[in-house]
Amino acid sequence: MKILNKTIHFLALFVAIGLLTACPKKVTTPKTLLEILSKNWKVSRVLINGQVDNAGNYNNFRLLLQQNGTYAVTVGGAPVSVVINPSNNGKWEIGSGETQIIFDKGTANEFAVTLVEKTESKLTIRFKIPPSINKTEPEYTFEFVPAT
């Protein structure tokens, strides 16, 4: 009888442990790139041709990317050469292979930037200024962090 009681207790314990470990765990699905990028970003650093740009005032430069595919840029005191289009707002989308952001696709203002880093806490983009705007075609790298 003692063996039967011990066996029943052992089985009860085994079932209880099984039930506890079988409880559904909270599964978090990873965010899509659209979800990661869709926020208000502020400039943390700008490089021109690989050199930190200490001359430009980027303190108030903001890039708002929204999940509905619209964007808005607040230039603040930043140099005019970084304006995406004259109104600084429009449509944006993620390019094929998730390596680009394309602003105003299919319009005269279409502008693509390369995604260098794309995490929840940092967005880095790179682009060249076209020769029609600046004959030296400088390469800009913008490092952003979420705006608070």
Side-chain angles (χ1 to χ4, degrees), residues 29-42 67 117-124 144-147:
T29 56
K31 287 187 175 184
T32 66
L33 184 55
L34 177 65
E35 292 170 323
I36 291 169
L37 296 179
S38 296
K39 63 179 63 150
N40 195 15
W41 298 94
K42 68 179 181 179
Q67 282 193 25
E117 187 171 349
K118 47 198 178 196
T119 67
E120 287 281 337
S121 59
K122 188 172 183 185
L123 169 64
T124 303
F144 294 95
V145 294

Side-chain angles (χ1 to χ4, degrees), residues 1-121:
M1 193 63 143
K2 284 184 179 182
I3 293 176
L4 183 59
N5 280 341
K6 286 183 180 182
T7 303
I8 291 172
H9 286 119
F10 177 76
L11 286 174
L13 180 63
F14 184 76
V15 169
I17 290 172
L19 289 173
L20 288 174
T21 59
C23 290
K25 293 180 175 69
K26 183 178 179 184
V27 177
T28 57
T29 56
K31 287 187 175 184
T32 66
L33 184 55
L34 177 65
E35 292 170 323
I36 291 169
L37 296 179
S38 296
K39 63 179 63 150
N40 195 15
W41 298 94
K42 68 179 181 179
V43 171
S44 62
R45 186 167 80 148
V46 175
L47 298 114
I48 302 175
N49 297 327
Q51 301 296 316
V52 175
D53 180 13
N54 292 316
N57 177 2
Y58 301 95
N59 293 336
N60 296 316
F61 190 99
R62 299 289 185 271
L63 174 60
L64 173 63
L65 301 173
Q66 298 189 74
Q67 282 193 25
N68 68 4
T70 60
Y71 75 89
V73 175
T74 303
V75 179
V80 174
S81 60
V82 297
V83 173
I84 295 174
N85 74 39
S87 66
N88 279 327
N89 61 61
K91 300 274 186 192
W92 75 284
E93 64 184 67
I94 299 168
S96 65
E98 298 188 337
T99 61
Q100 289 184 319
I101 295 176
I102 304 168
F103 296 95
D104 303 316
K105 186 175 182 177
T107 72
N109 294 318
E110 183 173 322
F111 186 69
V113 299
T114 301
L115 287 167
V116 178
E117 187 171 349
K118 47 198 178 196
T119 67
E120 287 281 337
S121 59

